DNA sequence: CTGTTAGCGCATTCAG
DNA sequence: CTGAATGCGCTAACAG
């Protein structure tokens, strides 16, 4: 146990650098001794100490991933994608949860810096500015997935979906189904949260194109979670005239909204069509199955990891000369039962 | 950038060991110079190199967590729990996905060993034996959450739920609702998967206590995923007489089953009562909301981390003299609409 | 091809 | 209280 190259050097009767060379498949060594040392190594149960190695090579083959909560289905799918290509390239993932608090997010970055990660990926950062501040300190590239911060202009390395287009797709679909009173339930409206606003923009555009004047009263606030969807439904139900369709910031919101709708006796989609966003794995198992705008979550993770990898290799040579690398991925509409197969799309009052 | 204690020692006009002492709040240093050095340190943007530190202290403040997929809601909740107490104690989590394959699981463990993690937590290992083999090699404690391996007897450090009792609770609840034809949809029946069998055992006991003879035909195979639930439903639907209730291995299975049931025109719970297991966050938002056996997922994660911490500190002194430390946590039944409020519990044929 | 020598950045003796 | 010296395990010149 705890055998080092020095130990195996001793029992092999060679110098420790020879062992190092053997283990690293150096060209400066004879096949004979290389083989001999290699099998001696695993006879002795040798495990290379990556700490020591990293200390000298100055890279750790490690990336830090910062999420708000791993519990969010969207997050975990993205992380999954990151993982996949990470260990394809022999990289290790250190996971941090910020719980949405800036302090914890900062602490996480600081800790990743201390661990000398080669790169950082952070998902849906609400406070991307923090990263900018730290980016000069942490001399590793940081790429942001679904940057929610708009204040600072565009962050150099991001991968994001076209939220405007996604919102457009959702609303246009409803319009095509014959809906004209279409509501939008937003995501978190906290500072620096552009994704919801972008989706709203696409929604508005689709309505306008169809000659429908967007009605401010039909835009209500959610929080990206089921309970927000429930509350939003109550707001809508309090209106004189209920919308015939609702576009929700995300699937979780849609779930909450459908749940609330069901309790008041409305049925989806007959009384109310619902479309979500994300296409979480469970979306197709809801009843009714949820029409939603699908984000390529795993692909986004993979792309982010790939971008990180390439930034890391650049960093070695061109010293931060890499310009901005933005990837914009496309989302697509997945049509399910929550919006189709209706007869009557005329507005109706609650319980009417 | 990339400033070391040596750098700050130079500009402070002291030796690097003095700096080290100051930064570590050693008692062997005057408050004056300590303060001076400390603020100089962060003026210079110093970040301690944990690699170097770990190399000498021989611990990394890092634990490895091995999951099958982070995508599984159960897993992510547990990981969340681990994270919580991990960074409460200033520990860092390295996440690995085994994708259920033994090779990747072994690779993960080997890699964690190389990174010199202080401990390993693995969730729902199907191949715990692998760990046993490696446990002597990886000189860090490994604790297993929901060990699925039974072949090797009881693993020294585990935290698990009382699956038998959970199954009992579920089935007894149905019996109390008046059901007498109660099916069970199992989890993965692959090698070394005891949790499903234990739940089945509890289910059987509940039936027997109620004077119901368990019917083998009512026990069908699932896989822990929605599609398995769908297939299971089809098997049940092919029976002469449909059960009036189904207990599913987990919530995902239940979702699939309810989905399939809905498509054939059956309604839950009127035609078929359904109970799941896990109480994933979305369970209460299904329609109908799912009755389920709740596992304290976050608590299990926290407990696992706590156990790991204590094992790690023991290891320093008593050298693996720590006996077995098993924690058995309790689950509880959460009653929702998928099992209650029915009138007629007599058996009926499909479409009848 | 192989051995010797130097550090990587830090904690930790041991002298002062 | 502080400085000088040593080594954690490893890679990377530099000589042979």
């Amino acid at each position: 146990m705890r055998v080092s190259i020095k130990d195996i050097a001793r029992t092999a009767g060679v110098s420790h650098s020879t062992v190092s060379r053997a283990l690293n498949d150096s060209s400066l060594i004879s096949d004979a001794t290389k083989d001999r040392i290699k099998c001696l190594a695993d006879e002795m149960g040798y495990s290379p100490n990556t700490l020591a190695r990293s200390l000298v090579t100055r890279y750790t083959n490690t990336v830090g991933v910062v999420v708000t909560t791993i519990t969010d289905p969207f997050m975990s799918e993205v992380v999954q994608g990151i993982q996949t290509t990470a260990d394809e390239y022999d990289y290790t993932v250190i996971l941090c949860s910020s719980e949405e608090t800036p302090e914890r997010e900062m602490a996480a970055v600081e800790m990743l810096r201390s661990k000398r990660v080669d790169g950082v990926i952070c998902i849906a950062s609400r406070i991307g500015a923090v990263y900018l501040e730290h980016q000069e300190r942490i001399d590793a590239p940081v790429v942001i997935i679904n940057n929610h911060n708009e204040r600072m202009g565009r962050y150099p390395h991001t991968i994001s979906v076209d939220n405007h287009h996604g919102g457009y797709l959702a609303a246009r679909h409803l319009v095509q189904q014959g809906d004209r009173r279409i509501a939008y339930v937003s995501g978190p409206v906290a500072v620096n949260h552009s994704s919801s606003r972008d989706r709203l923009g696409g929604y508005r555009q689709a309505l306008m194109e169809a000659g429908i004047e967007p009605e401010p009263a039909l835009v209500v606030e959610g929080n990206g979670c089921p309970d927000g969807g429930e509350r939003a439904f109550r707001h809508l139900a309090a209106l004189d005239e209920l919308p015939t369709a609702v576009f929700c910031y995300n699937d979780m919101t849609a779930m909450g909204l459908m749940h609330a709708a069901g309790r008041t006796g409305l049925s989806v989609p007959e009384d109310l069509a619902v479309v979500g966003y994300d296409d979480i794995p469970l979306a197709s198992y809801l009843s009714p199955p949820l029409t939603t705008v699908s984000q390529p979550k795993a692909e986004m993770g993979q792309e982010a990891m790939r971008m990180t990898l390439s930034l890391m290799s650049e960093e070695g040579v061109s010293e931060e000369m890499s310009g901005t690398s933005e990837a914009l991925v496309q989302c697509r509409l997945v049509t399910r039962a929550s919006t189709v197969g209706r007869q009557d799309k005329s507005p109706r009052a609650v319980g009417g």
Side-chain angles (χ1 to χ4, degrees), chain A:
Chain A
M1 179 97 297
R2 183 138 294 174
V3 21
S4 71
I5 57 172
K6 213 184 281 182
D7 298 318
I8 115 158
R10 196 177 312 121
T11 89
V14 297
S15 78
H16 69 274
S17 18
T18 302
V19 176
S20 174
R21 282 190 272 259
L23 265 25
N24 291 318
D25 287 312
S26 162
S27 56
L28 308 169
I29 198 173
S30 72
D31 289 347
T33 57
K34 182 196 289 190
D35 291 349
R36 187 165 63 92
I37 289 179
K38 271 193 172 179
C39 66
L40 184 57
D42 61 49
E43 268 176 25
M44 297 177 66
Y46 172 73
S47 165
N49 186 329
T50 58
L51 302 173
R53 169 206 292 261
S54 294
L55 194 54
V56 30
T57 62
R58 325 196 64 89
Y59 59 80
T60 53
N61 264 244
T62 296
V63 297
V65 173
V66 184
V67 300
T68 54
T69 336
I70 191 60
T71 279
D72 182 319
F74 174 78
M75 298 283 163
S76 56
E77 294 260 325
V78 174
V79 169
Q80 165 98 316
I82 294 174
Q83 280 265 12
T84 303
T85 104
D87 44 45
E88 198 171 297
Y89 288 90
D90 246 8
Y91 272 76
T92 292
V93 168
I94 292 185
L95 185 68
C96 310
S97 308
S98 69
E99 310 297 343
E100 307 244 10
T101 81
E103 299 76 33
R104 310 222 345 72
E105 196 165 350
M106 295 208 26
V109 172
E110 203 48 41
M111 167 264 166
L112 292 172
R113 187 157 95 103
S114 242
K115 287 238 184 282
R116 297 297 187 265
V117 296
D118 299 331
V120 173
I121 298 174
C122 83
I123 312 177
S125 174
R126 291 261 289 275
I127 48 169
V130 169
Y131 287 96
L132 265 199
E133 270 176 44
H134 278 275
Q135 202 201 2
E136 305 145 30
R137 303 188 56 189
I138 193 173
D139 85 13
V142 5
V143 351
I144 301 188
I145 297 179
N146 277 6
N147 184 15
H148 284 175
N149 188 327
E150 51 177 11
R151 187 177 53 204
M152 61 190 201
R154 296 190 101 32
Y155 182 84
H157 313 303
T158 62
I159 126 126
S160 43
V161 302
D162 189 339
N163 283 305
H164 185 95
H165 186 237
Y168 176 79
L169 287 178
R172 194 187 59 179
H173 167 69
L174 291 169
V175 166
Q176 286 170 347
Q177 297 292 306
D179 291 295
R180 297 190 65 81
R181 274 181 68 73
I182 304 173
Y184 176 64
V185 179
S186 81
V189 291
V191 286
N192 305 326
H193 224 296
S194 59
S195 61
S196 181
R197 187 162 36 261
D198 290 346
R199 289 172 198 178
L200 176 61
Y203 151 93
R204 282 221 184 88
Q205 182 189 333
L207 295 201
M208 312 262 281
E209 282 183 8
I212 304 171
E213 183 62 29
E215 227 175 288
L218 290 182
V219 175
V220 305
E221 184 176 327
N223 63 357
C225 298
D227 60 300
E230 297 187 80
R231 272 195 301 276
F233 175 79
R234 271 180 250 122
H235 283 160
L236 291 174
L239 297 177
D240 292 340
E241 202 180 5
L242 206 62
T244 63
V246 186
F247 167 39
C248 298
Y249 172 69
N250 65 4
D251 291 349
M252 310 262 268
T253 302
M255 289 179 60
L257 184 133
M258 291 205 295
H259 190 241
R263 274 197 313 221
T264 68
L266 292 187
S267 69
V268 177
E270 289 75 13
D271 302 316
L272 190 68
V274 178
V275 16
Y277 209 106
D278 281 354
D279 196 23
I280 61 178
L282 306 187
S284 62
Y285 287 101
L286 296 175
S287 65
L290 183 64
T291 292
T292 188
V293 178
S294 176
Q295 304 201 55
K297 300 167 284 299
E299 287 79 356
M300 290 168 71
Q302 295 175 227
E303 180 54 32
M305 186 63 210
R306 255 181 256 121
M307 185 182 285
T308 306
L309 286 166
S310 91
L311 286 170
M312 291 183 315
S313 54
E314 283 179 30
E315 199 154 88
V317 284
S318 60
E319 280 299 325
E320 212 67 58
M321 282 302 291
S322 49
T324 68
S325 51
E326 270 181 69
L328 194 65
V329 307
Q330 279 307 334
C331 44
R332 64 179 224 284
L333 185 78
V334 178
T335 306
R336 299 204 182 93
S338 72
T339 55
V340 297
R342 292 171 285 161
Q343 330 270 0
D344 176 14
K345 267 134 303 188
S346 63
R348 50 182 298 173
V350 180

